[in-house]
Amino acid sequence: ETAPSSFFAAVQSRDFEGALKSWGTSGEGVDLAEVDAKGESSLHLLARSKKYDDTCAALFAKVLAAASEILSHCNDAGQSFLHCAAGRLNCRILAQAVSECPQLAPLFAQ
């Protein structure tokens, strides 16, 4: 098993400042398809965040805008990042997701 990238490791450890620094100005080189042992992407991990402050919101916005190919990705338990946010009652993530990415609306019906 390979070690996670610096970006993914920062998201996993809830170091959102560090993740933003790893992202840089363009996100070039960040693999948004990277997942952990449970099949969770950076979107899943952000959606599970208990501390949803401005830094987390800024990181989520960057990832969401760049992650069109993995928006419907489900973890090993069959959950999308929206399921994870709903399970944590993370209404700010849900509101931000549908506001910034209206094409997600059909996923709310799953």
Side-chain angles (χ1 to χ4, degrees):
E1 185 175 315
T2 61
S5 67
S6 59
F7 171 79
F8 197 75
V11 174
Q12 282 180 306
S13 66
R14 309 293 191 253
D15 175 14
F16 302 135
E17 288 280 347
L20 281 170
K21 287 178 186 170
S22 292
W23 184 274
T25 55
S26 67
E28 187 174 323
V30 172
D31 180 9
L32 294 177
E34 187 173 4
V35 296
D36 66 11
K38 297 177 185 174
E40 299 214 333
S41 69
S42 53
L43 283 173
H44 287 86
L45 298 173
L46 288 164
R48 290 187 187 283
S49 178
K50 292 179 184 175
K51 181 182 177 189
Y52 192 74
D53 58 11
D54 291 342
T55 304
C56 184
L59 180 60
F60 181 71
K62 288 179 179 286
V63 173
L64 188 64
S68 61
E69 68 281 353
I70 64 156
L71 289 177
S72 61
H73 169 77
C74 291
N75 62 17
D76 294 348
Q79 299 172 324
S80 72
F81 79 95
L82 296 172
H83 291 108
C84 296
R88 286 269 192 203
L89 301 177
N90 197 335
C91 297
R92 288 185 64 196
I93 282 268
L94 295 170
Q96 186 176 352
V98 80
S99 170
E100 295 180 19
C101 210
Q103 69 267 30
L104 288 173
L107 292 178
F108 282 89
Q110 294 181 356

